[in-house]
Amino acid sequence: LNSELEIVLHQEQLPSDVLQAVDIDPEKQPPLTVEELIEFYTSPKVNPSANEYDFKKALDLVTYADEKEVDLDKLMLLIWCRAVLRDSWSELEGVEPAASIRRTIFFRIIEVAFNEGVDLFEFVPSIESLIGCDELKTSGLTDDKHFLYLLKMGYEQLELEQSHSSSQTAN
């Protein structure tokens, strides 16, 4: 029952422009599946202005998906890949690449999760699985040395921050 209420809550939080994009009357919304909600929160066609909170909601929704009907790991990876594709990584040039990557939706999702106390080692996909994602390969990002450099740098920062945070809570 609690999981059904959580799903309804996520549906009620869908932005009105998303409902308009999929031609759903907010007053007469049919119950949506977890997969539909994830699609609506993350699809660039349906929700072109999705932010880190929309993606975090989609990632949270994966726990309510029926693992008999959908591969949960693939679904999580799809959401992460869509987050990566929201930003123009080639425009993240400059003297402070570490600061630049923090402004991407991908790393802002991680920051939101970290602030919520989520175990990032469990939550964030490995860099290998992310780079192996078909959506990123199709986009050409996996052949972009600048993107790969920024992504690896971001993961290294993430590991440092996570280990620093773990050592502080242990003291």
Side-chain angles (χ1 to χ4, degrees):
L1 183 64
N2 282 343
S3 63
E4 290 175 13
L5 290 174
E6 283 292 320
I7 294 168
V8 169
L9 178 65
H10 279 81
Q11 182 168 337
E12 289 174 349
Q13 293 175 348
L14 277 170
S16 58
D17 53 335
V18 169
L19 294 173
Q20 284 179 329
V22 292
D23 203 25
I24 293 178
D25 180 350
E27 301 301 318
K28 300 175 186 170
Q29 277 189 60
L32 299 171
T33 67
V34 169
E35 291 81 7
E36 287 173 320
L37 287 169
I38 290 170
E39 180 68 18
F40 293 168
Y41 272 115
T42 65
S43 169
K45 292 177 184 160
V46 176
N47 192 3
S49 60
N51 62 26
E52 63 271 25
Y53 298 102
D54 293 324
F55 279 93
K56 177 64 172 65
K57 287 174 189 173
L59 290 162
D60 291 343
L61 278 164
V62 172
T63 60
Y64 304 112
D66 186 349
E67 59 188 306
K68 294 175 189 154
E69 294 182 21
V70 66
D71 182 331
L72 302 184
D73 291 334
K74 281 186 179 178
L75 189 55
M76 290 282 284
L77 191 57
L78 172 66
I79 296 166
W80 283 109
C81 288
R82 284 183 172 179
V84 167
L85 291 169
R86 285 302 177 111
D87 289 292
S88 178
W89 292 77
S90 62
E91 294 176 11
L92 297 177
E93 306 276 342
V95 290
E96 279 295 322
S100 296
I101 60 173
R102 287 187 172 280
R103 291 190 297 269
T104 65
I105 287 182
F106 181 81
F107 285 103
R108 290 191 335 237
I109 296 166
I110 294 170
E111 186 176 330
V112 168
F114 178 78
N115 290 338
E116 291 178 2
V118 173
D119 180 356
L120 299 182
F121 288 118
E122 295 290 319
F123 185 67
V124 180
S126 70
I127 195 167
E128 296 81 14
S129 60
L130 193 63
I131 291 171
C133 179
D134 289 337
E135 287 78 7
L136 295 189
K137 287 180 180 177
T138 304
S139 75
L141 271 179
T142 55
D143 296 324
D144 182 338
K145 288 181 179 19
H146 182 66
F147 164 73
L148 295 173
Y149 166 75
L150 291 173
L151 191 64
K152 287 176 184 171
M153 181 180 42
Y155 268 78
E156 288 170 8
Q157 269 187 322
L158 181 62
E159 287 176 17
L160 284 172
E161 290 173 13
Q162 185 75 4
S163 61
H164 178 71
S165 174
S166 297
S167 67
Q168 280 191 333
T169 56
N171 292 335

